[in-house]
Amino acid sequence: MLSLLPLAARTGPPLAFCLGALGAGVIAVIFGLGFAFDVRGMSTRQAARMRERVREARLRRGSLAEPVYPVSPEARMRMSGGFIAFAGVVLCAAGIALLHLG
């Protein structure tokens, strides 16, 4: 019973929250880098699926014209992957900082 007193007196953020933030950051970095650097064609396949969904939706509405993309879906996926990876690094840093504060 006495060994639990230091844990009860801890005033920092909950340990589960800190570890959750750290884990979410690591997962975000892994997925973000996968999309940003097109590891095993992740962003290429995702962009192809997006194009197919848009094409099918346009055919259901009766439009035969192909949509004009200002930025290619592949470039958009890679840019999104870079943002996700950066957000994951920030989340990892926040999780580590919260662990050290508590």
Side-chain angles (χ1 to χ4, degrees):
M1 180 78 174
L2 292 176
S3 63
L4 296 177
L5 289 177
L7 289 176
R10 186 172 179 257
T11 60
L15 182 63
F17 177 76
C18 299
L19 292 177
L22 186 61
V26 169
I27 291 170
V29 167
I30 290 170
F31 278 107
L33 290 177
F35 279 117
F37 293 109
D38 199 18
V39 175
R40 294 173 33 169
M42 287 173 67
S43 57
T44 304
R45 284 193 311 264
Q46 182 73 17
R49 283 191 294 253
M50 287 169 38
R51 275 194 183 111
E52 186 62 27
R53 281 194 308 256
V54 168
R55 189 181 71 75
E56 288 175 0
R58 291 178 69 85
L59 286 176
R60 278 192 303 251
R61 287 189 308 233
S63 175
L64 297 177
E66 287 293 318
V68 177
Y69 296 104
V71 177
S72 72
E74 289 88 359
R76 194 179 87 204
M77 291 298 298
R78 289 179 183 158
M79 188 170 51
S80 298
F83 288 135
I84 292 170
F86 178 72
V89 169
V90 170
L91 198 55
C92 284
I96 290 171
L98 287 173
L99 280 173
H100 285 293
L101 287 176

